[in-house]
Amino acid sequence: MPKLIVGNWKMNGLAAESLARVEKLAVAVENDSSNNFHMVVCPPATLLAPLGAKLKDKAIRWGGQDCHAAASGAFTGDIAAPMLKDLGCDFVILGHSERRGRHKETSADVAAKAKSAHAAGLVAIICVGELEAERDAGKHESVVGQQLSQSIPDTASPENTVIAYEPVWAIGTGKTASDDDIRQMHAFIRGKVGRMQILYGGSVKAANAREILHIDNVDGVLVGGASLKPEEFMAIASASKLT
Ligand code: 13P
C-alpha cells in the first residue's frame, strides 16, 4: 500500500512563497518514479483556496489543520468541516498536541470534530501521543490507548480515519522516538484500530525518513518543519520507495 506523506505547515506561510513552494513540490511529485506514496499538504486555512487552485489537477491532495464540531453557527473565528470540503480539502488534522495542549482540546472534543469531518466527507487525521513525563513513567501505552478510545467516533472507518502517533516530546525538538519505541507503539495502536492507516510524526526529516517509513505498521508520516522545504519534503516522500 502506498505510504501517506502528510505535511503540516502549522501557522507558517504567506501566499507568494507558499504557492511557489507547492508548485515546486507538485513538479517534483510528477517527476518522481518511486510511485509508492500519496502526498497531502495541510497549509494554514488562509492558503487553502489559492493552494487548491494550484493543485487541482496535480497528484497532491490538501487538508485543513482543524475544524469545529458544528457544521455552521455562531462560532467566531472557527472553521467548519463543510467549509474545508468546499475548498476541495480531502483531509483534516484533528487533535494535534498543539491544540490539545494550548487550546485545551479534550479527546471528546476531537471525537466530535472527527464526526463532523466524516459527515462532510473528509478523512480525519486523528493525532495521539504521550508527554515525555508520561513515557518516563511508563504510561505511554495507557495514555495513547485512552486517547484512541475517546477520540475516535463511531463514524470512523479505515476509509475515513487515519491515526497519527506523535510523541509530544519529539515534536519540533529534533528528537525522534527510537525504532523500537515506534515499532512497539504502532503495534499497540494497530491492535486498537485494525486496518486504519497509522502515521508517525515528530522530527521526521530526510535523514531519518527511510528508516521510520520501513518500520512495521508505519503507514506514513506526519511532517512539520521539514514539510516547509520542498526538496526535503520530497526526499521524505521518496524514502517510501520499497528498496
Ligand atoms: P516536526 O516535524 O516539526 O517535529 O512537527 C511534527 C508535527 O507536529 C506534525 O504534525
Side-chain angles (χ1 to χ4, degrees):
M1 187 164 184
K3 302 285 184 184
L4 186 59
I5 310 295
V6 185
N8 174 9
W9 292 4
K10 308 191 179 184
M11 196 176 72
N12 292 295
L14 301 178
E17 42 125 356
S18 305
L19 297 177
R21 179 196 305 157
V22 92
E23 269 183 327
K24 209 164 168 182
L25 200 56
V27 171
V29 170
E30 213 161 281
N31 293 334
D32 185 86
S33 56
S34 65
N35 246 342
N36 195 37
F37 63 86
H38 291 147
M39 186 180 280
V40 177
V41 290
C42 298
T46 49
L47 294 176
L48 283 169
L51 180 138
K54 292 263 180 234
L55 294 181
K56 213 156 72 118
D57 305 313
K58 308 283 193 237
I60 306 175
R61 306 285 85 209
W62 59 97
Q65 297 176 9
D66 179 44
C67 71
H68 196 276
S72 64
F75 302 104
T76 303
D78 280 316
I79 297 173
M83 296 171 177
L84 294 177
K85 190 68 188 174
D86 203 31
L87 290 176
C89 291
D90 288 319
F91 293 82
V92 61
I93 298 170
L94 295 173
H96 191 281
S97 67
E98 285 150 18
R99 298 204 61 86
R100 288 181 188 264
R102 294 170 188 274
H103 295 260
K104 304 288 172 257
E105 278 184 18
T106 64
S107 289
D109 295 331
V110 177
K113 290 176 175 208
K115 208 167 190 153
S116 189
H118 293 153
L122 296 169
V123 174
I125 302 175
I126 298 179
C127 303
V128 296
E130 80 285 356
L131 302 170
E132 189 153 34
E134 291 165 338
R135 176 163 284 271
D136 290 346
K139 292 185 185 154
H140 43 289
E141 286 193 354
S142 67
V143 167
V144 168
Q146 192 169 32
Q147 287 174 338
L148 290 170
S149 68
Q150 296 176 357
S151 306
I152 303 176
D154 55 10
T155 49
S157 72
E159 284 68 44
N160 67 16
T161 306
V162 172
I163 304 301
Y165 169 57
E166 299 203 301
V168 179
W169 47 272
I171 294 178
T173 58
K175 294 192 219 171
T176 34
S178 71
D179 288 6
D180 277 349
D181 289 346
I182 298 174
R183 188 175 297 106
Q184 237 169 51
M185 183 58 89
H186 278 241
F188 172 76
I189 296 173
R190 174 71 65 217
K192 306 271 178 203
V193 306
R195 282 195 306 111
M196 282 175 200
Q197 285 178 286
I198 308 170
L199 314 183
Y200 171 79
S203 299
V204 175
K205 44 188 187 266
N208 59 22
R210 177 169 301 278
E211 202 172 326
I212 292 171
L213 280 164
H214 290 86
I215 296 174
D216 285 349
N217 293 308
V218 173
D219 301 312
V221 284
L222 180 53
V223 185
S227 73
L228 296 170
K229 303 173 209 147
E231 290 87 4
E232 173 105 13
F233 193 47
M234 191 58 216
I236 291 171
S238 303
S240 321
K241 220 165 158 173
L242 294 174
T243 51

